[in-house]
Amino acid sequence: MKRLLMALLLWAAPGQAHEFWIDPLSTQVVPGAPLMADIRVGQDLKGPAYSYIPPNFSRFDIVLGDQTLPVEGRGGDKPALNMAVPGEGLAVVVHVTKDYKLTYTEWEKFVNFCTHKDFEWVLQAHLDRGFSQEKVREQYSRHAKSLIAIGEGAGSDREIGLEVELVALANPYIDDVSGGFPVRALYQGKAQANMQVELFDRAPDGSVEVRQYRTDDTGRALLEVEPGHFYLADHVVMREMTPEADTDPAWESLWASLTFGVPE
């Protein structure tokens, strides 16, 4: 019970510009073997793994073909995903957190966050709305997906219906992605044009490179990928909230992430 309480407190700690991602122990598994993945929060693909804690998420599923299977587990299980599913193909693991709130007590940290995630317009809008720089209150949630191949991994990603979402337009396990890996950024089901997608690229030696891309008019970005590497793609949407009290958040950030591997 004490370990579960500590995990709840750690998970709820403000992430600010920290990423949230599903980290498969293996991106390719044989049919019948369990899908295993950690849930992580951190920077540059480094961060602690969190347990299976139902109060902390609103959705945790595996989408395989026409099936949507709730992830089963017990509170405190680690890795958070450890479940075999019937059949084979491209499994899309989906995890959506509950809403969290944080308060920036330093304006510069909020400026850095908005600049890094490419919505500097928020800074002027915050001042125009008459809000204080001393305490910037924000609500946030994470909308994560991960692609895992079961067997050959045939199949495709698709729009799952998340509030904010990155959709893979190719299958990295069976398609030729030497010319780039296409993704589409969506918000409420609509394509996000001219928006930033950040890519974290982990090489086999463990080194990590970070690159930024912009979506085109259809919300599509073409990401450079290499065989043997692991990837986290990230896209963030910021929207205004209408606080009714001084302690209510003025802003809400919605974080989409997509992880996958590219076979050797």
Side-chain angles (χ1 to χ4, degrees):
M1 185 68 182
K2 186 175 180 180
R3 288 178 60 193
L4 179 58
L5 178 60
M6 285 300 296
L8 284 163
L9 292 173
L10 286 169
W11 191 303
Q16 296 185 16
H18 290 186
E19 315 303 323
F20 177 103
W21 71 99
I22 300 169
D23 188 12
L25 274 64
S26 176
T27 56
Q28 297 174 278
V29 301
V30 298
L35 276 63
M36 303 176 70
D38 287 312
I39 300 297
R40 294 189 185 275
V41 179
Q43 293 179 302
D44 296 334
L45 287 174
K46 299 178 181 68
Y50 291 89
S51 304
Y52 179 91
I53 306 175
N56 283 348
F57 59 81
S58 61
R59 180 175 179 180
F60 199 0
D61 295 324
I62 299 169
V63 178
L64 180 64
D66 295 330
Q67 303 179 84
T68 299
L69 307 169
V71 171
E72 300 170 353
R74 296 182 303 175
D77 280 355
K78 191 183 286 188
L81 170 62
N82 185 352
M83 177 178 159
V85 298
E88 57 183 284
L90 183 67
V92 183
V93 184
V94 182
H95 187 104
V96 180
T97 71
K98 70 175 187 178
D99 293 335
Y100 290 103
K101 295 180 181 179
L102 67 87
T103 300
Y104 292 88
T105 57
E106 297 179 37
W107 175 249
E108 190 62 30
K109 288 186 176 181
F110 188 63
V111 170
N112 291 340
F113 166 59
C114 291
T115 302
H116 176 201
K117 292 303 181 184
D118 193 42
F119 31 75
E120 290 94 336
W121 64 270
V122 168
L123 302 172
Q124 188 60 50
H126 185 85
L127 301 178
D128 291 345
R129 295 171 72 198
F131 294 126
S132 169
Q133 295 181 348
E134 295 179 1
K135 291 185 178 181
V136 180
R137 293 183 169 85
E138 178 193 338
Q139 178 172 296
Y140 67 95
S141 57
R142 317 287 196 148
H143 307 253
K145 295 167 65 178
S146 185
L147 307 181
I148 301 177
I150 304 175
E152 292 185 359
S156 60
D157 187 18
R158 62 180 184 274
E159 183 181 348
I160 303 296
L162 307 182
E163 186 76 355
V164 62
E165 184 171 355
L166 284 172
V167 179
L169 303 180
N171 183 330
Y173 305 108
I174 62 172
D175 294 337
D176 180 4
V177 292
S178 59
F181 182 76
V183 298
R184 177 163 286 125
L186 301 175
Y187 168 58
Q188 296 181 337
K190 298 179 181 179
Q192 292 290 284
N194 192 32
M195 298 291 284
Q196 177 175 289
V197 174
E198 194 164 21
L199 186 68
F200 298 81
D201 175 346
R202 185 171 66 211
D205 64 4
S207 61
V208 175
E209 180 183 347
V210 185
R211 300 187 292 275
Q212 283 81 32
Y213 298 83
R214 299 204 73 78
T215 60
D216 63 16
D217 292 343
T218 67
R220 182 178 180 273
L222 189 63
L223 313 178
E224 301 168 83
V225 297
E226 295 183 52
H229 289 225
F230 177 78
Y231 293 94
L232 160 64
D234 167 271
H235 171 63
V236 184
V237 169
M238 183 75 103
R239 64 187 180 189
E240 296 182 359
M241 298 190 76
T242 305
E244 297 181 358
D246 291 342
T247 55
D248 291 341
W251 299 98
E252 181 177 24
S253 61
L254 306 168
W255 300 61
S257 67
L258 175 70
T259 55
F260 59 93
V262 178
E264 291 282 2

